[in-house]
Amino acid sequence: AKHEADDDWARHFSPAACKRCCKLAPVAGVFAMQNQLLFVGVRNLEPPVFQALNQLKILTAGVFSVILLKKPLSNMQWVALLQLACGAALVQMGGSQCSSDGSGGSELTASTRFKGFQAVCASAALSGMAGCYT
């Protein structure tokens, strides 16, 4: 007697399903790399700065939607994306000034902050690209 579960099992391992999985494997790798970069950012940035910079994913998703998907954005949408980028930059500058007040604790050097900044920006770019690809 054939069971319904046997049909489901065979459907998930059909050649068409395997082909779809192979198409998404590179994207899964990109998201795994993005996750590792986020950990580097968390270790090397102050929490508010990390949170604000992590919002750059929205900006990169907008840029990649224009580049990869050929989807035009309205002027209002571009202004909103630029305001987001400016807000993230202001928080980055403010975070670096706040951490140099000599209040003790674990001080982050400029080089570790820059390393975290690079990691989060790379993560945002990878996220935007992979999000538009899927």
Side-chain angles (χ1 to χ4, degrees), residues 44-60:
N44 295 300
L45 291 172
E46 295 89 358
V49 174
F50 171 78
Q51 284 296 100
L53 286 174
N54 200 27
Q55 298 308 311
L56 289 175
K57 290 177 186 180
I58 299 168
L59 178 65
T60 59

Side-chain angles (χ1 to χ4, degrees), residues 22-23 28 30 34 36 45 49 53 56-57 61 65-66 69 83 94 104 118-119 123 132:
C22 288
K23 283 183 182 178
V30 169
Q34 177 229 353
Q36 293 304 312
L45 291 172
V49 174
L53 286 174
L56 289 175
K57 290 177 186 180
S65 72
V66 171
L69 303 177
Q83 286 178 337
Q118 288 178 315
S123 168
C132 286

Side-chain angles (χ1 to χ4, degrees), residues 5-94:
D6 293 335
D7 290 336
D8 286 341
W9 182 261
R11 184 180 53 191
H12 291 299
F13 289 99
S14 70
C18 290
K19 187 176 179 181
R20 284 192 305 270
C21 287
C22 288
K23 283 183 182 178
L24 293 176
V27 178
V30 169
F31 277 124
M33 190 182 327
Q34 177 229 353
N35 194 30
Q36 293 304 312
L37 288 168
L38 285 177
F39 282 117
V40 172
V42 165
R43 277 194 310 270
N44 295 300
L45 291 172
E46 295 89 358
V49 174
F50 171 78
Q51 284 296 100
L53 286 174
N54 200 27
Q55 298 308 311
L56 289 175
K57 290 177 186 180
I58 299 168
L59 178 65
T60 59
V63 170
F64 279 113
S65 72
V66 171
I67 294 170
L68 297 177
L69 303 177
K70 309 281 191 248
K71 179 184 177 199
L73 296 178
S74 70
N75 289 338
M76 182 69 78
Q77 289 170 318
W78 279 114
V79 168
L81 287 174
L82 289 175
Q83 286 178 337
L84 177 64
C86 290
L90 287 173
V91 170
Q92 169 66 22
M93 290 174 13

Side-chain angles (χ1 to χ4, degrees), residues 44 46 99 106-115:
N44 295 300
E46 295 89 358
S99 66
S106 63
E107 293 291 324
L108 294 173
T109 65
S111 65
T112 59
R113 267 192 242 108
F114 186 66
K115 181 180 177 181

